Amino acid sequence: MKKIDKSVADAYFREKTRNIIIYLIIWFIVSFGVVLFAEPLSNFTFLGFPFHYYMGAQGSILTFIILLFVNAKVSDKIDQKYGIDEAQNEMLSAGKSLDH
């Protein structure tokens, strides 16, 4: 099985962890920040609804779905950057070894 150098693995997980923290901060701001500032945000409208109502009803869900797709794309690029191939991951998860 192909071994990954510890420094490469540490950099990989550091970058992935940093991205997850960024996504969680965005999620927190969209989900709870809008509630905390509902009064000032009620002056703005989005698609005919007060902004705070829209974000509570649909906007936070849409933001979460968008974050899922962004995470998938960014994670694929990080995997390619560090030489972690999806086909290799599938082989390893199936219990097959990589003979390089």
Side-chain angles (χ1 to χ4, degrees):
M1 180 185 323
K2 181 180 174 186
K3 299 276 184 184
I4 298 175
D5 186 38
K6 182 169 176 21
S7 62
V8 172
D10 288 343
Y12 172 80
F13 285 111
R14 192 171 28 257
E15 194 166 343
K16 295 278 275 194
T17 303
R18 184 198 69 209
N19 287 343
I20 289 171
I21 290 170
I22 290 170
Y23 301 144
L24 287 173
I25 290 170
I26 293 169
W27 168 80
F28 181 82
I29 290 169
V30 169
S31 297
F32 295 105
V34 173
V35 174
L36 293 174
F37 299 104
E39 185 73 30
L41 290 175
S42 64
N43 298 329
F44 303 104
T45 59
F46 186 77
L47 298 176
F49 296 101
F51 186 71
H52 72 281
Y53 175 78
Y54 178 80
M55 288 304 291
Q58 294 177 353
S60 59
I61 295 168
L62 290 175
T63 303
F64 179 71
I65 292 170
I66 290 168
L67 283 175
L68 289 174
F69 284 105
V70 168
N71 180 44
K73 286 291 190 187
V74 170
S75 292
D76 285 345
K77 289 185 183 199
I78 292 171
D79 289 350
Q80 289 174 355
K81 177 180 173 181
Y82 289 99
I84 299 170
D85 188 18
E86 189 169 329
Q88 290 178 353
N89 286 341
E90 287 177 11
M91 286 175 43
L92 290 172
S93 64
K96 300 175 184 172
S97 64
L98 303 172
D99 297 321
H100 289 291

